[in-house]
Amino acid sequence: MAEHTVASFDEDLRQISRLIRDMGDLAGSMVGASTKALLNSDNALAQRVVSDDAIMDARQRELDDRAITLIAKRQPMADDLRNVVGAIRMAGDLERIGDLAKNIAKRVGSVGVSTAPRDLSHSIDSMAQLVLIQVQGVIEEYTAGDATALAKLRNDDERVDVKYTSVFRELLTYMMEDPRNITACTHLLFCAKNLERIGDHVTNIAENAYYVLTGTQLPANRPKQDETAMPAPAA
């Protein structure tokens, strides 16, 4: 980022970047904690995740306020404008990741009182670890200015989609084998879908970060391996 003659302008840009890093750290913490709470039936930890969502919302509002004020007062152009607009977009996706982590946490109580097959813990946990690596990695690569790594990370979302399809089929099998599993598995299906959606938001962040760093867009079509969606009806 080039230095400007107005020191306060550079400080404004640094504050916006700091907020993106803070939101990224909080998003990773919320995803990790919500999954841990789900797997361990830890209601106290789940409630902490729900409370943390208010902090995430406050940080997004602060970033939006700073960005809008900077645009109004400084009228940034070219790279600087790309940085500010990109930060607003990335903050929106990070806030949604917080919402999805909160949704997982809010199901902890319901899953905890149901009979869930123990084998599912490993499948959900391995999917969550894939997603967590993505959440943590996207902010690290953006902060490091590594556009090549961001492009690779964006394409790695395919692995999350494949894992989601596997978990989806596994949960359906458990429900068909024993009706007593239906309640717990239904909640876990929603949790798995939330994790898959978190992966999609990471992809959006990677695309915006790549654009901020390079000024070019990644190809619109990316690998997508979620095979649980119903195909569109033929015309």
Side-chain angles (χ1 to χ4, degrees):
M1 187 182 296
E3 291 293 324
H4 299 86
T5 55
V6 181
S8 59
F9 182 79
D10 292 316
E11 179 60 24
D12 287 340
L13 290 175
R14 281 193 288 269
Q15 288 295 328
I16 289 172
S17 294
R18 177 187 60 79
L19 283 166
I20 287 292
R21 291 195 300 272
D22 289 348
M23 291 181 72
D25 290 343
L26 182 57
S29 173
M30 291 176 71
V31 171
S34 63
T35 306
K36 183 178 180 181
L38 179 70
L39 297 175
N40 297 325
S41 299
D42 189 334
N43 287 297
L45 182 58
Q47 188 54 51
R48 195 191 80 189
V49 174
V50 173
S51 299
D52 282 347
D53 187 55
I55 299 174
M56 179 70 84
D57 291 345
R59 287 180 179 169
Q60 186 195 18
R61 287 193 297 270
E62 181 183 353
L63 186 145
D64 284 347
D65 289 345
R66 285 182 177 274
I68 292 168
T69 300
L70 187 149
I71 291 171
K73 288 185 175 180
R74 309 295 186 188
Q75 298 182 352
M77 299 177 67
D79 293 354
D80 295 328
L81 182 59
R82 216 167 51 233
N83 268 293
V84 176
V85 174
I88 293 172
R89 290 177 174 176
M90 287 186 279
D93 281 302
L94 287 167
E95 189 275 335
R96 282 296 298 138
I97 289 173
D99 286 342
L100 292 163
K102 179 182 70 173
N103 290 345
I104 294 171
K106 289 170 73 174
R107 291 186 181 272
V108 168
S110 299
V111 173
V113 298
S114 305
T115 305
R118 284 191 169 272
D119 292 345
L120 283 174
S121 295
H122 176 71
S123 297
I124 294 289
D125 187 35
S126 60
M127 182 180 178
Q129 291 307 312
L130 277 177
V131 172
L132 187 56
I133 289 171
Q134 296 281 86
V135 173
Q136 294 170 337
V138 72
I139 300 302
E140 290 174 2
E141 305 302 354
Y142 170 61
T143 302
D146 193 338
T148 302
L150 285 167
K152 180 181 182 301
L153 188 146
R154 179 247 205 179
N155 290 333
D156 282 348
D157 182 58
E158 181 179 6
R159 296 169 59 203
V160 176
D161 294 335
V162 169
K163 190 63 181 176
Y164 170 63
T165 299
S166 173
V167 171
F168 180 88
R169 290 172 175 169
E170 191 175 353
L171 286 165
L172 287 183
T173 299
Y174 278 117
M175 286 191 281
M176 289 187 290
E177 287 178 348
D178 188 343
R180 290 175 298 179
N181 292 330
I182 289 176
T183 298
C185 287
T186 299
H187 286 296
L188 291 174
L189 273 174
F190 280 108
C191 292
K193 184 60 181 178
N194 284 331
L195 287 170
E196 190 269 339
R197 289 292 298 133
I198 289 171
D200 289 341
H201 284 289
V202 171
T203 296
N204 292 344
I205 295 169
E207 290 172 347
N208 279 310
Y210 184 91
Y211 178 66
V212 167
L213 294 174
T214 67
T216 59
Q217 301 274 6
L218 286 166
N221 295 324
R222 66 177 177 87
K224 187 69 179 171
Q225 295 293 329
D226 176 5
E227 299 177 5
T228 66
M230 294 294 290

